[in-house]
Amino acid sequence: MGDWVTIWIGASIGSFLAIVLLATVAFCFSRGFVRWAVGHFAKIVMNDRYPENIWEIVSALTRVSPQKVLENSLRAAEGTAIDRPFGTPRKFLNYDGLLFSPAQLSVLPAPENAEVDMRLTIGPMAKKPLTLEIPLLAGGIGFGVGVTDKTKIAIAKGTAAVGTVTNTGEGGFLPEEREIAKYLIYQYHSATWTKSPEILKQADAIEIRIGQGATAGAATFIPHRDLRGKASQVMHLSDQEYIVIPSRHKEVQKPDGLRKLVDQLRELTEGVPIGVKMCASANMEADLEVAIMAGVDFISMDGGQGGYKGSAPILQDDFGLPTIYAVSRAVRYLQKRGVKDKITLLSGGGYYTPSHCLKALALGVDGVYLGTAMLWGMAHDQVTKAIPWEPPTQFLFYGGHSQKEFDEQEAAKYLEHFFCAFVDEMRIATLALGKTSVREVGVDDLIALDSMTSKVTNIPLAYTPRIPHSPS
């Protein structure tokens, strides 16, 4: 009997406390309380001297963005260059200034049941060209220096499912990634790890990394503590304080050194496409000329909106041409040199929608690298495992607190869906242009909305009439 009395008393107390809590919450959200709280706050704000007024923060943030305030606080805390993930938040001119011109009567839309050819061939002049089912590629994201092995395996599975390629990035080589991936581009970086002939011979293409949008051509210094565990073993790292990815390749100390390296890699791999990855600079035509003279099979041009696991904000915000500038100039120069059909042009940096990708193809790009958008897509609702207490990068990036909670099978499925959805929208748009191949989509299918976009891309402004030829 005593136990029942105890239980009854406990339940009664619990019910009473719950009622009190609910009443308190209701009171806090009642109109009277809200009116009192807002009025009390307003009275303080309207009477305190400015040096003591909390509104000083609002006033200050109208002059300096919260992003800059936060990053300056991090600089004050760390005393060294800070690493910002995912690239620059700056807003540059982009593909939003272009629209597609739909087919109507003079050009009819393609039949709704028509097949659309999405294939991409990298290195058409190579001994072993690489043909993909779609013109979208997984960007170079390195194991250890970037993401976890689970993330790399998920990318390998997702890209294999849709017939496209994954890229090793600057990290260590994972045998399981090579085993799972249908196609693999090995990024030949300037560091020392995992570059043996046995590894290089497993690549379907090799991309010599000179620079990229988020880091320009600067060296990268990674604390050894950030690479402990499997990454340290795979990359055969010694126990020095910092691991360095140098700004230069030892084989390319002068521009003509690139030709020798390209020839060596082509001979070693028995003819797979050999390319070069670079950040778009004001001197990009001179850089392209060096690549052309080196005999590369493809060029990966990274615009200033490219992302990275973490690099100095000054490199992200103030180095490298915006992607649409880079694409327009690169296409024109390759056409001028008569090599546009011989050298595959790949573009990366700030591609987040199917329309951005298709507009790049219309301007003359052959394929598009996806990075940040791809990571967010494959993460999907798994981000809830990290937020609100940690950023989602904590289960994607190597060394993250939540990386053990990442489900690579789910991520691979969502990555497959992500690519399929992008391709489906691009297919719909291609048919609406009256075309049945993405390679048929061109500059005549575009119009520009503003004068700057028109000048950069050489696309006519939308208000400029296109006078039809008189019937003969």
Side-chain angles (χ1 to χ4, degrees):
M1 186 68 178
D3 291 339
W4 284 104
V5 172
T6 303
I7 293 172
W8 181 82
I9 293 173
S12 299
I13 294 173
S15 300
F16 175 75
L17 292 176
I19 292 170
V20 171
L21 178 61
L22 288 172
T24 303
V25 171
F27 172 74
C28 289
F29 285 95
S30 67
R31 294 184 65 178
F33 176 79
V34 170
R35 186 184 297 114
W36 173 85
V38 171
H40 186 67
F41 176 76
K43 183 176 288 189
I44 293 174
V45 168
M46 292 178 179
N47 286 279
D48 277 3
R49 296 173 59 250
Y50 233 132
E52 303 167 358
N53 200 311
I54 190 65
W55 196 260
E56 179 186 323
I57 295 177
V58 178
S59 179
L61 292 180
T62 61
R63 298 183 66 249
V64 184
S65 72
Q67 175 100 21
K68 290 183 173 62
V69 171
L70 171 66
E71 291 186 351
N72 282 337
S73 293
L74 293 175
R75 291 181 178 105
E78 297 180 21
T80 185
I82 60 175
D83 286 339
R84 180 209 290 153
F86 289 136
T88 180
R90 284 186 66 177
K91 303 299 181 185
F92 292 106
L93 190 76
N94 59 42
Y95 295 104
D96 290 338
L98 296 173
L99 289 179
F100 288 109
S101 175
Q104 293 290 274
L105 287 174
S106 60
V107 176
L108 296 174
E112 62 276 5
N113 57 353
E115 293 289 330
V116 177
D117 185 1
M118 290 280 180
R119 288 175 295 176
L120 160 67
T121 296
I122 298 176
M125 308 302 293
K127 184 178 178 180
K128 298 178 180 178
L130 173 58
T131 299
L132 310 177
E133 293 300 316
I134 62 175
L136 307 177
L137 303 79
I141 302 173
F143 165 62
V145 302
V147 297
T148 67
D149 53 345
K150 286 185 174 183
T151 305
K152 291 295 290 178
I153 289 170
I155 295 173
K157 289 180 178 179
T159 53
V162 296
T164 191
V165 70
T166 187
N167 187 308
T168 62
E170 299 171 287
F173 176 79
L174 289 171
E176 53 265 50
E177 179 186 18
R178 170 65 280 188
E179 182 181 347
I180 294 168
K182 186 173 184 179
Y183 304 115
L184 179 74
I185 292 178
Y186 181 91
Q187 192 172 98
Y188 192 89
H189 48 76
S190 55
T192 58
W193 48 79
T194 57
K195 295 166 69 174
S196 68
E198 293 75 24
I199 289 175
L200 297 176
K201 288 179 181 179
Q202 297 181 54
D204 297 297
I206 292 182
E207 179 183 77
I208 303 168
R209 181 198 172 279
I210 303 298
Q212 63 190 76
T215 61
T220 302
F221 296 84
I222 307 170
H224 187 272
R225 66 175 182 274
D226 292 346
L227 293 172
R228 290 173 183 164
K230 184 174 181 178
S232 183
Q233 298 167 9
V234 167
M235 297 161 71
H236 303 292
L237 300 177
S238 56
D239 200 24
Q240 64 261 41
E241 186 177 357
Y242 281 91
I243 310 302
V244 181
I245 302 176
S247 58
R248 295 184 183 185
H249 289 263
K250 65 178 182 180
E251 304 98 329
V252 190
Q253 295 299 314
K254 295 181 179 179
D256 60 1
L258 181 62
R259 175 81 205 200
K260 296 177 183 177
L261 179 57
V262 168
D263 289 343
Q264 290 171 3
L265 293 173
R266 182 172 286 132
E267 181 179 0
L268 175 67
T269 59
E270 300 180 350
V272 305
I274 308 297
V276 62
K277 178 176 182 176
M278 65 179 76
C279 174
S281 75
N283 299 317
M284 63 181 297
E285 287 78 10
D287 294 332
L288 288 168
E289 185 62 28
V290 173
I292 292 169
M293 297 305 295
V296 299
D297 298 299
F298 67 95
I299 294 170
S300 301
M301 184 63 68
D302 214 27
Q305 295 103 306
Y308 197 62
K309 180 184 179 180
S311 57
I314 193 171
L315 296 177
Q316 297 179 13
D317 298 344
D318 300 290
F319 278 73
L321 299 183
T323 300
I324 195 170
Y325 291 76
V327 164
S328 301
R329 287 175 56 175
V331 169
R332 286 197 287 268
Y333 190 74
L334 294 179
Q335 289 172 337
K336 178 181 177 181
R337 290 285 281 105
V339 295
K340 180 64 181 66
D341 295 332
K342 300 176 182 178
I343 298 177
T344 304
L345 179 61
L346 306 176
S347 175
Y351 289 93
Y352 300 113
T353 68
S355 69
H356 289 169
C357 298
L358 190 60
K359 288 171 185 176
L361 298 181
L363 289 176
V365 164
D366 297 299
V368 173
Y369 272 124
L370 295 171
T372 301
M374 179 187 70
L375 288 177
W376 281 106
M378 64 187 284
H380 191 42
D381 55 7
Q382 289 197 63
V383 297
T384 58
K385 298 177 181 180
I387 58 176
W389 313 118
E390 298 284 353
T393 52
Q394 287 298 305
F395 68 92
L396 289 170
F397 286 176
Y398 191 83
H401 302 308
S402 307
Q403 64 184 49
K404 291 182 180 178
E405 299 178 44
F406 182 65
D407 186 329
E408 67 266 31
Q409 299 296 338
E410 271 193 31
K413 178 184 69 175
Y414 289 127
L415 180 57
E416 179 184 353
H417 292 174
F418 170 86
F419 277 119
C420 288
F422 261 59
V423 169
D424 196 35
E425 287 196 38
M426 294 168 67
R427 179 190 65 81
I428 293 169
T430 302
L431 293 175
L433 294 169
K435 311 294 175 65
T436 56
S437 170
V438 289
R439 293 189 299 279
E440 296 174 352
V441 180
V443 292
D444 290 339
D445 296 306
L446 295 171
I447 51 176
L449 294 176
D450 60 86
S451 58
M452 181 56 71
T453 301
S454 178
K455 288 178 181 179
V456 169
T457 61
N458 283 348
I459 301 297
L461 283 160
Y463 60 71
T464 305
R466 295 183 181 181
I467 307 301
H469 296 293
S470 299
S472 55

